[in-house]
Amino acid sequence: MSNLDSLFNPSSVAIIGASPDERKIGGRPLSYIQRYGFEGEIYPVNPKYKEIGDLKCYGDILQIEKDVDIAIIALPSAAVIENFKKCAQKGIKSVVIFSAGFSEFGEEGKQLQDEIVYIAKQHGIRVLGPNCLGLFNVRTGFYGTFSTIIEDEKPIKSKIGFVSQSGAFGSHVFTLARQQNIGFSYFVATGNEADIDVADCVEYLATDPDTNVIACYIEGVKDGGKLLNAFKLARDNNKPVIVIKVGCSDVGMKAAMSHTGSIVGADKVFDTVFKQSGVYRAKTIDEFLDVTYAASQLPPLKGGRVAVFTISGGVGILLADQLAENGFTLPETPADVQEKLKGILPIAGTHNPIDTTAQISYIPTLLEDFMDAVLSSGAYDAAIIFLGFAGLKHNSIAERIETLRKMKDKFQNIPQIAVTINSPESSLAFRDEGVSVLQDPTRAVIALKAMKDFEQFKYRSLTQDFKRFQIDLSDIDDNLTEYGSKKFLQQFYLPITNEKLALTEAEAVQFAKEITYPLVLKGMSPQILHKTDKGLVSLDIQKEEQVYKEFRRLKGIIDNLPGAKFEGVLIQEMLKDDFIEMFVGSKYDPIFGQMIIVGFGGIYIEVLNDISMRKAPVSEKEAEEMILELKASKILQGYRGKEASDIAALSQVISKFSEVIASLDEDLSEVDLNPIMVFCEGHGVKIADGIITFNKQLAKI
Amino acid sequence: MSNLDSLFNPSSVAIIGASPDERKIGGRPLSYIQRYGFEGEIYPVNPKYKEIGDLKCYGDILQIEKDVDIAIIALPSAAVIENFKKCAQKGIKSVVIFSAGFSEFGEEGKQLQDEIVYIAKQHGIRVLGPNCLGLFNVRTGFYGTFSTIIEDEKPIKSKIGFVSQSGAFGSHVFTLARQQNIGFSYFVATGNEADIDVADCVEYLATDPDTNVIACYIEGVKDGGKLLNAFKLARDNNKPVIVIKVGCSDVGMKAAMSHTGSIVGADKVFDTVFKQSGVYRAKTIDEFLDVTYAASQLPPLKGGRVAVFTISGGVGILLADQLAENGFTLPETPADVQEKLKGILPIAGTHNPIDTTAQISYIPTLLEDFMDAVLSSGAYDAAIIFLGFAGLKHNSIAERIETLRKMKDKFQNIPQIAVTINSPESSLAFRDEGVSVLQDPTRAVIALKAMKDFEQFKYRSLTQDFKRFQIDLSDIDDNLTEYGSKKFLQQFYLPITNEKLALTEAEAVQFAKEITYPLVLKGMSPQILHKTDKGLVSLDIQKEEQVYKEFRRLKGIIDNLPGAKFEGVLIQEMLKDDFIEMFVGSKYDPIFGQMIIVGFGGIYIEVLNDISMRKAPVSEKEAEEMILELKASKILQGYRGKEASDIAALSQVISKFSEVIASLDEDLSEVDLNPIMVFCEGHGVKIADGIITFNKQLAKI
């Protein structure tokens, strides 16, 4: 039994600061709980009253004789601590603190909040808030909230669990949903998150039998790993998670030194981990609600073939355009089905999108006959039914809904979304028959696209089990040169150019012979990051005399740079074969850890910011996905008659490299392998240049 | 007086096929016209009746004694021609044909329709339809339509003129608007467009005093030039045009031979000409209506500085994110204003986005005091006010609306959009006070972005006046080589590489000396389009003996290709300076004419489809805009410490070239100037290779 059961599903509740005035912060929860049928024990606590309504009112929580699962504190902040201590003494398992005046109010408030957390930890109490709107459980009628959103009507019950870091945002979405007759299983506003945060709530809802979809509003994340674990649990239990995440991370990405670092923003990291965790990120409130609703209503989407039924040819084209843009197909109606449709209505448009025309209003069986014939063909995975403003036609909407209900029951594995302008009454009628309806065709396409994403998410999850390398960093220099960086990588069998570090001219000539001409010579100094800028790279060295000359020149440059230590001259094979230049990098995100980044080399790609990112580690398959999701990836697949590149070898390197960085974790600041040469299929890849920066403070411990 | 006045604004109307049954196609317009107060003459025509209601009914239109402006034909298709002829005889100026069964019904129907058009042309009659829902004028109460969308309620009057190629689509949008208490000045459904098309209607509305915004639904365009002229008229009269365009062009782009052609889709052409004409293209129905509504309601947006007032910090961040994404700024609240706000409400968030908190519900003056202080500062060009679900709070919404009305009156030049979930009642209350309100924060951002676009559109219009070149194509070969193509361009002073065509070895050596080494030699044959594929390009020729050898080799290759005629060997300077490779091309669109396309050279850019397009011609300023809107344009502006490129020279070449192709118009099939070398600022550009394909059939006439 989860230790949040006492919060989400209590059998007894004490309201400290209870009031007989339904408009007061301590009066609302009491009123809601009674009014909406909570069957557990209710204990008002307030020394001012002997009783409130029919209930005995206690002067102090310690006066309550029986055990209490949860206490709600609805008092001014100054009175909170004292009462919280009494809760601890009483053995309360969960406490909801409505009161403001804590960490959101500067240092003093923060200290008060820390004190609560300290006591809570000591006594094993879970705390929601402070400075929160509370929570409610629609099934049991437990309304531990002072929100006004439920004062006029009892909430609708559904299987959508909703967690919000903002009470105002949560209230807005709740009301918007209510207007569309969409309900919830739970509503939780987490406030200051002194203890319980969004991740805790997601984790609870992930195993809750009353919840099949989880919706979250997130502003900031303190513990990335905990959140990702909660998402994983939801995914493992086959519960879609829909997130709306606003703002940029407070912690932010550290100022970046390298090429790789500079092209990655914090918000892109959120995008990445959400997608990798199989979490759908909505960009607008409408999308947030539409997708949540669709996910809670529709069966899984098995494929991308959509049948469109429409009373307007124009909206049919609009839907066709938008479905195609979102990766769906609109397969042609099978010939025999077209014949059948023509038999029913000669003027119908029988090609998909199928135009029923306005005759739908005059032939009551038309829609059903059309849908039945088309969906029975087995040629479609989903259907969108555009009914215009049928939802406002009081005399005929019941007929439409009855048809849609029948079709939903008959084709249970085909997600079907009706689109019509609704009145509150027809919206209710749709809901009562379990028929999914949205108000706008585009929004139906987006919902269907999300359903497709959820299917793909089922086969996606963070790679968390991997063989962690034991890496000893004690002998590693603070600043590695290219030579040192690549040597470091070589121990993990990552392929690097054939190269040796020459300390003398004689060694240089000797190594040149071994590696064979043509060669590249590079001057190495740990203090010099950008070799080319300092003239420390000599290309296309063809013979011994050049080696002598260049060795002296390169060493000379370094010797003349104040503070620069000469490490040696790197004698390196010069790659001549046909290859494509790419880069692979890493970036440490303070919230989510090591991120791996892949992209093409070259200035255009940099300017166009065509990169692909994942939280490390990634499997080879995920690495291949990363490569293929680059906009320019066609180039690797044999563009314009060229031979295809060795994507398999690159995927291997990316995956292996990702395990290395994940193992190093916070000891590693960033890596920039740039370029990596990708040869033709079967010819592998080679890291031609690279630089590793460790997190010195940590690595030195 | 426009010859469409009799259609949009008639003083007398005959309804042929009139019926006393309000549910019949001939009964509806009669009923609407009478019910909604049309003050002109009404003449029902139907031999079956002597009178309909209070009106005398005529057996035949010829029996009507007085002149009639417009006739509506509501008869089966078979009876249309006979009655249309009588309309001609009667001297009717406009005819609306509801009847279906014409061009949409195959060849026979098409012939019938052509006959109508023939008679109409002969008698100067303007025809709306056939197969159309008709039109209405809300001001005069002229309802020449059988649509059911107005059967329950009289339409709301506003300054939005709405033209739709689809009756069903138009009806849907009308009803959606009605639900949000948004009205129209005119509604027109153009049906088969035998005569009057969308362009005609836009042209009419562009000068109509009752209309200040024009909304169009478009599926297909037959006469591109006419449509663009209508858009221009609207723009010249400062009336925003909002278009929703679905589907791809039926005519489509011709199959493309060259690089340039293959990367341009027909839909991109529509996007381009809409933008160039200052027309806003909406992608969804919600956007279509929101933007139309905002354009009809709000004052012009003078700048990009937005103040956000919000009752939810979370929605404030969401708005800030989305405003920034759309190019707006949220300047910090001035310090003195912040102080003032803190004085009013210490717990308020005084940074922009400004958080009024839920206290707005308890302090009636709070919103006004905040808005007044902030907007008085002069630091903002627009405001979004997020009120959550205030629109559903019957007891307080009047207060909110009153505040917003006052602020709108006080800050008349600052567009202000309120966002709240509405009930039908509050939506009406907002409208009655002229306060702009939308249901979702994101939709407010999109509306504001559209307002910004409209401001930019004011300074944009198709370059239509230009010095058309008189170009004699009679001596031009069907297939020009690179040499011939560049010679052709040179007559317009377009800069090409220094080059000469050598017919003999001796000439080759002579020209080589004149041009100076290093050189490029290219074998020319009109039959060979892709020189490189055939080995006809020799780079980096350094001396005379190489010229001899390469001349022979190149000539040999051509001589050995069956059917290939040897034109000569092009002796060309080899460009060595630092330059960036770009391309400029043209594509003839059958609807809109010559389009000019600009992009970077290189495989990455091709794969990423980073191109910029306009209808030709373009001014130098527009050419510069084209260059700068390329995603990779940073590269030309001096990226990573490189010198900036000569954008001015490139703009000149693009503009001049665009005038050439616009002059050639349909005689030109396509041009691909690829690459054009762009040198550093002040060093110009050079066309290094290029090919022109004329439209032979036409050019030969």
Side-chain angles (χ1 to χ4, degrees):
Chain A
M1 181 169 154
S2 158
N3 67 354
L4 289 186
D5 254 355
S6 57
L7 179 79
F8 283 90
N9 195 12
S11 9
S12 51
V13 52
I15 300 167
I16 306 174
S19 162
D21 182 348
E22 291 192 5
R23 309 193 51 168
K24 292 215 163 143
I25 188 173
R28 288 187 184 278
L30 185 60
S31 162
Y32 296 150
I33 286 173
Q34 290 182 290
R35 215 192 313 166
Y36 298 142
F38 177 62
E39 293 186 346
E41 302 294 325
I42 308 172
Y43 305 104
V45 178
N46 191 335
K48 280 202 271 180
Y49 307 102
K50 288 271 176 257
E51 54 214 11
I52 295 179
D54 298 339
L55 294 170
K56 178 181 173 189
C57 187
Y58 297 83
D60 192 307
I61 195 167
L62 293 172
Q63 292 169 5
I64 301 170
E65 307 82 6
K66 297 203 192 156
D67 282 351
V68 178
D69 279 346
I70 190 167
I72 294 167
I73 300 184
L75 298 170
S77 58
V80 171
I81 279 284
E82 185 199 335
N83 280 279
F84 190 80
K85 283 179 181 161
K86 286 184 184 166
C87 289
Q89 204 178 331
K90 173 76 186 154
I92 305 268
K93 296 173 202 137
S94 289
V95 177
V96 180
I97 307 175
F98 291 165
S99 328
F102 293 87
S103 67
E104 84 281 8
F105 252 56
E107 197 42 49
E108 207 175 320
K110 175 79 167 63
Q111 279 178 18
L112 216 54
Q113 185 170 314
D114 288 348
E115 198 178 336
I116 291 171
V117 173
Y118 180 79
I119 302 167
K121 286 250 162 73
Q122 275 191 317
H123 293 81
I125 303 173
R126 298 307 303 263
V127 180
L128 184 69
N131 187 29
C132 82
L133 209 55
L135 85 165
F136 55 77
N137 174 337
V138 180
R139 180 177 59 77
T140 65
F142 166 63
Y143 289 89
T145 180
F146 64 96
S147 173
T148 62
I149 54 178
I150 54 175
E151 67 182 350
D152 296 330
E153 273 178 298
K154 185 176 176 178
I156 300 162
K157 186 164 156 284
S158 86
K159 296 223 146 195
I160 300 168
F162 180 24
V163 192
S164 177
Q165 282 187 331
S166 151
F169 190 98
S171 300
H172 182 72
V173 169
F174 175 88
T175 309
L176 192 64
R178 164 101 243 176
Q179 213 195 23
Q180 296 168 37
N181 284 296
I182 300 169
F184 296 95
S185 57
Y186 298 88
F187 172 103
V188 197
T190 55
N192 288 3
E193 298 195 341
D195 170 26
I196 294 167
D197 62 10
V198 166
D200 290 308
C201 298
V202 171
E203 189 189 330
Y204 183 85
L205 297 173
T207 58
D208 171 66
D210 291 329
T211 301
N212 68 5
V213 172
I214 302 168
C216 308
Y217 166 84
I218 299 178
E219 283 177 14
V221 176
K222 284 178 216 151
D223 186 341
K226 183 177 167 193
L227 184 67
L228 298 185
N229 280 333
F231 287 155
K232 184 170 187 317
L233 188 63
R235 212 203 54 82
D236 289 348
N237 291 337
N238 211 8
K239 298 191 184 180
V241 178
I242 297 94
V243 159
I244 190 159
K245 161 77 180 76
V246 301
C248 287
S249 134
D250 284 335
V251 191
M253 305 283 284
K254 286 193 203 169
M257 178 175 60
S258 75
H259 167 75
T260 298
S262 64
I263 55 179
V264 178
D267 198 59
K268 171 115 180 151
V269 173
F270 275 103
D271 256 356
T272 299
V273 297
F274 288 152
K275 204 186 277 181
Q276 238 176 314
S277 304
V279 165
Y280 186 91
R281 183 178 188 181
K283 293 287 184 186
T284 73
I285 296 176
D286 282 344
E287 182 188 2
F288 181 60
L289 191 56
D290 289 347
V291 171
T292 300
Y293 168 72
S296 76
Q297 286 257 315
L298 297 174
L301 178 67
K302 300 293 185 197
R305 305 167 305 162
V306 182
V308 170
F309 302 88
T310 177
I311 58 147
S312 152
V315 174
I317 307 172
L318 181 81
L319 279 165
D321 288 351
Q322 293 177 346
L323 284 164
E325 250 174 59
N326 284 283
F328 290 99
T329 60
L330 278 89
E332 182 54 295
T333 322
D336 57 326
V337 177
Q338 289 204 42
E339 218 163 287
K340 208 170 186 175
L341 302 185
K342 280 283 180 205
I344 299 167
L345 182 69
I347 63 159
T350 59
H351 302 285
N352 189 17
I354 294 152
D355 190 351
T356 62
T357 78
Q359 290 303 312
I360 201 171
S361 307
Y362 306 106
I363 311 173
T365 54
L366 184 65
L367 182 61
E368 180 172 336
D369 290 346
F370 267 47
M371 287 185 69
D372 199 0
V374 172
L375 298 184
S376 292
S377 72
Y380 302 97
D381 304 304
I384 295 180
I385 306 99
F386 178 74
L387 298 172
F389 46 91
L392 301 179
K393 296 268 161 187
H394 306 299
N395 48 349
S396 59
I397 188 61
E399 255 170 26
R400 295 294 100 75
I401 293 175
E402 172 60 10
T403 298
L404 293 166
R405 189 197 54 73
K406 271 162 92 175
M407 292 301 100
K408 182 193 138 216
D409 290 347
K410 178 158 184 185
F411 303 103
Q412 290 187 9
N413 296 322
I414 300 181
Q416 299 160 48
I417 305 178
V419 178
T420 178
I421 307 176
N422 261 332
S423 65
E425 299 76 42
S426 62
S427 155
L428 202 60
F430 272 103
R431 198 205 67 206
D432 287 346
E433 294 296 335
V435 172
S436 301
V437 64
L438 292 172
Q439 298 255 357
D440 178 85
T442 306
R443 288 164 70 170
V445 173
I446 291 170
L448 218 49
K449 166 65 166 60
M451 296 297 293
K452 201 171 67 173
D453 286 353
F454 286 126
E455 274 311 290
Q456 290 169 352
F457 290 166
K458 284 188 185 166
Y459 307 99
R460 170 174 290 168
S461 108
L462 279 170
T463 304
Q464 280 166 323
D465 303 323
F466 72 104
K467 208 182 115 292
R468 195 171 278 270
F469 292 104
Q470 295 305 320
I471 304 169
D472 181 6
L473 293 180
S474 50
D475 285 343
I476 289 281
D477 279 348
D478 282 358
N479 298 313
L480 291 187
T481 59
E482 173 186 340
Y483 172 72
S485 298
K486 284 155 88 180
K487 271 272 165 274
F488 179 82
L489 294 173
Q490 217 177 8
Q491 65 180 305
F492 307 103
Y493 305 103
L494 288 164
I496 64 167
T497 33
N498 188 4
E499 62 192 33
K500 288 195 167 180
L501 187 72
L503 301 180
T504 63
E505 287 173 35
E507 268 186 5
V509 172
Q510 167 68 20
F511 293 161
K513 256 184 229 150
E514 290 173 25
I515 295 169
T516 75
Y517 295 97
L519 293 166
V520 180
L521 268 59
K522 298 175 177 172
M524 295 286 124
S525 164
Q527 285 74 38
I528 301 170
L529 189 66
H530 299 293
K531 298 185 288 287
T532 311
D533 294 356
K534 300 276 184 256
L536 287 174
V537 179
S538 303
L539 296 173
D540 207 13
I541 303 300
Q542 300 276 4
K543 42 197 169 187
E544 207 170 290
E545 64 184 70
Q546 280 178 289
V547 174
Y548 279 117
K549 197 179 127 202
E550 287 302 316
F551 185 97
R552 280 192 296 270
R553 194 180 67 79
L554 296 170
K555 184 168 187 312
I557 292 173
I558 295 170
D559 287 345
N560 283 324
L561 282 170
K565 184 175 156 286
F566 175 71
E567 188 187 46
V569 168
L570 192 63
I571 315 294
Q572 189 176 80
E573 66 175 322
M574 174 136 167
L575 299 173
K576 278 284 189 185
D577 282 343
D578 216 20
F579 50 72
I580 287 170
E581 293 190 24
M582 301 201 55
F583 78 83
V584 173
S586 81
K587 183 78 199 121
Y588 180 72
D589 179 78
I591 299 169
F592 295 104
Q594 288 293 347
M595 310 297 296
I596 178 164
I597 301 147
V598 176
F600 283 85
I603 191 168
Y604 288 113
I605 298 295
E606 190 179 322
V607 165
L608 297 168
N609 203 18
D610 181 22
I611 62 158
S612 170
M613 177 160 65
R614 292 289 188 284
K615 175 168 160 56
V618 294
S619 67
E620 286 180 30
K621 192 169 168 306
E622 287 167 304
E624 191 182 329
E625 279 170 20
M626 289 183 79
I627 297 165
L628 296 181
E629 84 184 24
L630 290 168
K631 294 190 202 97
S633 65
K634 277 188 213 164
I635 287 173
L636 294 171
Q637 295 171 290
Y639 188 69
R640 294 212 156 209
K642 282 215 171 189
E643 229 176 304
S645 302
D646 201 335
I647 294 176
L650 181 61
S651 305
Q652 264 180 20
V653 166
I654 291 170
S655 173
K656 171 75 68 156
F657 173 71
S658 77
E659 291 178 358
V660 174
I661 64 173
S663 301
L664 286 163
D665 201 12
E666 57 184 358
D667 290 344
L668 181 68
S669 176
E670 58 186 271
V671 183
D672 197 12
L673 309 180
N674 188 7
I676 291 187
M677 307 310 197
V678 186
F679 301 98
C680 295
E681 244 171 31
H683 291 77
V685 306
K686 269 187 188 174
I687 299 166
D689 199 350
I691 197 88
I692 299 180
T693 316
F694 292 99
N695 200 339
K696 287 176 273 177
Q697 288 76 19
L698 290 163
K700 283 299 174 197
I701 291 164
Chain B
M1 183 171 155
S2 159
N3 67 354
L4 288 185
D5 253 355
S6 58
L7 179 80
F8 281 90
N9 195 14
S11 8
S12 51
V13 52
I15 300 167
I16 305 174
S19 163
D21 182 347
E22 292 190 6
R23 308 194 51 169
K24 291 217 162 142
I25 187 173
R28 287 188 185 277
L30 185 59
S31 161
Y32 295 150
I33 285 173
Q34 292 182 288
R35 213 189 318 162
Y36 298 144
F38 177 62
E39 294 187 345
E41 301 294 324
I42 308 172
Y43 305 104
V45 178
N46 193 334
K48 278 201 271 182
Y49 307 103
K50 289 275 177 249
E51 54 214 11
I52 295 180
D54 298 338
L55 294 169
K56 177 180 175 189
C57 188
Y58 297 81
D60 192 305
I61 194 166
L62 293 172
Q63 293 169 4
I64 302 172
E65 305 82 8
K66 297 201 193 158
D67 282 352
V68 177
D69 280 347
I70 191 166
I72 294 167
I73 301 184
L75 298 170
S77 58
V80 170
I81 279 284
E82 186 200 334
N83 280 278
F84 190 80
K85 284 178 181 163
K86 287 183 184 168
C87 289
Q89 206 177 328
K90 173 76 185 154
I92 305 265
K93 297 172 202 138
S94 289
V95 177
V96 179
I97 307 176
F98 291 167
S99 328
F102 292 88
S103 67
E104 84 282 7
F105 252 56
E107 197 42 47
E108 207 176 318
K110 175 78 167 63
Q111 279 178 16
L112 216 54
Q113 184 169 317
D114 288 348
E115 199 179 334
I116 291 171
V117 173
Y118 180 78
I119 301 166
K121 287 253 161 74
Q122 274 192 315
H123 292 80
I125 304 173
R126 298 307 303 263
V127 180
L128 186 69
N131 187 30
C132 82
L133 209 55
L135 85 164
F136 54 79
N137 174 337
V138 180
R139 180 176 58 79
T140 66
F142 167 62
Y143 288 90
T145 180
F146 64 97
S147 172
T148 62
I149 53 178
I150 54 174
E151 66 183 350
D152 295 331
E153 273 179 297
K154 185 175 176 178
I156 301 162
K157 187 165 156 286
S158 87
K159 295 222 146 196
I160 300 168
F162 181 22
V163 192
S164 177
Q165 282 187 333
S166 152
F169 190 97
S171 302
H172 181 72
V173 169
F174 175 89
T175 310
L176 192 63
R178 162 102 245 177
Q179 213 194 22
Q180 294 168 38
N181 284 296
I182 299 170
F184 297 94
S185 57
Y186 298 88
F187 172 103
V188 197
T190 56
N192 287 5
E193 298 195 341
D195 170 29
I196 294 167
D197 62 9
V198 166
D200 289 309
C201 299
V202 171
E203 190 189 328
Y204 183 85
L205 297 173
T207 57
D208 171 66
D210 291 329
T211 301
N212 68 5
V213 172
I214 302 168
C216 308
Y217 167 83
I218 298 178
E219 282 177 13
V221 176
K222 284 176 214 151
D223 186 341
K226 184 177 165 192
L227 185 66
L228 299 186
N229 280 333
F231 287 155
K232 185 171 185 319
L233 188 62
R235 210 203 55 81
D236 289 348
N237 291 338
N238 212 8
K239 298 191 184 181
V241 178
I242 297 94
V243 159
I244 189 158
K245 161 77 181 74
V246 302
C248 289
S249 136
D250 284 333
V251 191
M253 304 284 284
K254 286 194 202 168
M257 178 174 62
S258 75
H259 168 73
T260 298
S262 65
I263 54 179
V264 180
D267 199 59
K268 171 113 180 151
V269 173
F270 275 103
D271 256 355
T272 300
V273 296
F274 288 151
K275 204 185 277 180
Q276 238 175 313
S277 304
V279 165
Y280 187 91
R281 183 179 187 179
K283 294 287 184 186
T284 74
I285 297 176
D286 283 343
E287 183 188 2
F288 181 59
L289 192 55
D290 289 347
V291 171
T292 299
Y293 168 72
S296 76
Q297 287 256 313
L298 297 175
L301 179 66
K302 301 293 186 197
R305 305 168 305 164
V306 183
V308 170
F309 302 88
T310 178
I311 58 148
S312 151
V315 174
I317 307 173
L318 182 80
L319 279 165
D321 287 353
Q322 293 177 346
L323 284 165
E325 252 174 57
N326 284 283
F328 290 99
T329 60
L330 279 87
E332 182 55 294
T333 322
D336 58 325
V337 176
Q338 289 203 42
E339 218 162 287
K340 207 168 186 178
L341 303 184
K342 280 283 179 205
I344 300 167
L345 183 69
I347 63 160
T350 59
H351 301 284
N352 188 15
I354 294 152
D355 191 351
T356 62
T357 78
Q359 288 304 312
I360 200 172
S361 307
Y362 306 106
I363 310 174
T365 54
L366 185 64
L367 182 60
E368 181 175 333
D369 289 347
F370 268 46
M371 287 184 70
D372 199 0
V374 172
L375 299 184
S376 292
S377 73
Y380 303 97
D381 304 304
I384 295 180
I385 306 100
F386 178 74
L387 298 172
F389 46 92
L392 301 178
K393 296 269 162 186
H394 307 298
N395 47 349
S396 58
I397 187 62
E399 255 170 25
R400 294 296 97 75
I401 294 175
E402 172 59 11
T403 297
L404 292 167
R405 189 196 56 71
K406 272 162 94 176
M407 291 300 102
K408 182 191 140 220
D409 290 346
K410 177 158 186 186
F411 303 102
Q412 291 187 9
N413 295 321
I414 300 181
Q416 299 162 46
I417 305 178
V419 179
T420 178
I421 307 175
N422 260 334
S423 66
E425 299 76 42
S426 61
S427 155
L428 202 59
F430 271 104
R431 201 205 63 208
D432 288 345
E433 296 294 335
V435 173
S436 301
V437 64
L438 292 171
Q439 297 256 357
D440 178 86
T442 305
R443 289 165 70 171
V445 173
I446 291 170
L448 218 49
K449 166 67 167 59
M451 296 296 294
K452 199 172 67 173
D453 286 354
F454 286 126
E455 274 309 291
Q456 289 168 351
F457 288 166
K458 285 189 185 165
Y459 307 98
R460 170 173 292 169
S461 108
L462 279 170
T463 304
Q464 280 167 322
D465 302 323
F466 71 105
K467 208 183 113 293
R468 196 170 277 272
F469 291 104
Q470 295 306 319
I471 303 170
D472 180 8
L473 294 179
S474 50
D475 286 343
I476 290 281
D477 278 348
D478 283 359
N479 299 313
L480 291 186
T481 59
E482 174 188 339
Y483 172 71
S485 299
K486 284 155 87 182
K487 270 271 165 274
F488 179 83
L489 294 174
Q490 217 177 7
Q491 63 180 308
F492 307 103
Y493 305 102
L494 289 164
I496 64 167
T497 34
N498 187 5
E499 62 193 34
K500 288 194 168 182
L501 187 72
L503 301 179
T504 63
E505 287 173 35
E507 268 186 4
V509 172
Q510 167 68 21
F511 294 160
K513 253 182 231 151
E514 289 173 26
I515 295 168
T516 75
Y517 295 96
L519 293 166
V520 180
L521 267 59
K522 297 175 176 173
M524 295 287 123
S525 164
Q527 287 73 40
I528 301 169
L529 189 65
H530 299 293
K531 298 183 291 285
T532 311
D533 294 356
K534 300 279 184 257
L536 287 174
V537 178
S538 302
L539 297 173
D540 208 13
I541 302 302
Q542 300 276 5
K543 42 197 169 186
E544 206 171 290
E545 64 183 72
Q546 279 177 291
V547 174
Y548 278 116
K549 196 179 129 203
E550 285 303 316
F551 185 98
R552 282 192 296 270
R553 195 181 66 80
L554 296 169
K555 183 168 189 311
I557 292 173
I558 295 171
D559 289 344
N560 282 324
L561 281 170
K565 184 177 155 285
F566 174 70
E567 188 187 44
V569 168
L570 192 63
I571 315 296
Q572 189 174 81
E573 67 175 319
M574 175 139 167
L575 299 172
K576 278 284 191 187
D577 283 344
D578 216 20
F579 51 72
I580 286 170
E581 293 191 24
M582 303 201 55
F583 78 84
V584 173
S586 82
K587 183 78 199 121
Y588 181 71
D589 178 77
I591 298 168
F592 294 104
Q594 288 293 347
M595 309 297 296
I596 178 164
I597 301 147
V598 175
F600 283 85
I603 192 168
Y604 288 112
I605 298 296
E606 191 178 322
V607 164
L608 296 168
N609 202 21
D610 181 22
I611 62 159
S612 171
M613 177 159 65
R614 292 289 188 285
K615 175 168 162 53
V618 293
S619 66
E620 285 181 32
K621 193 171 168 304
E622 287 168 305
E624 190 182 330
E625 279 171 20
M626 289 183 78
I627 297 166
L628 296 181
E629 85 184 23
L630 290 168
K631 294 190 204 99
S633 65
K634 275 189 216 165
I635 288 175
L636 294 171
Q637 297 170 289
Y639 189 68
R640 292 211 158 212
K642 283 215 171 187
E643 229 177 305
S645 302
D646 201 335
I647 294 176
L650 181 61
S651 304
Q652 265 181 17
V653 166
I654 291 170
S655 173
K656 171 76 65 151
F657 173 71
S658 77
E659 291 178 357
V660 174
I661 63 173
S663 301
L664 285 163
D665 201 12
E666 59 184 357
D667 290 344
L668 180 69
S669 177
E670 58 186 90
V671 183
D672 197 11
L673 309 182
N674 188 6
I676 291 188
M677 308 310 199
V678 185
F679 301 98
C680 296
E681 243 171 31
H683 291 76
V685 307
K686 270 187 187 173
I687 300 166
D689 199 350
I691 197 88
I692 298 181
T693 316
F694 291 99
N695 199 340
K696 287 177 273 177
Q697 288 76 19
L698 291 163
K700 282 302 175 197
I701 290 164

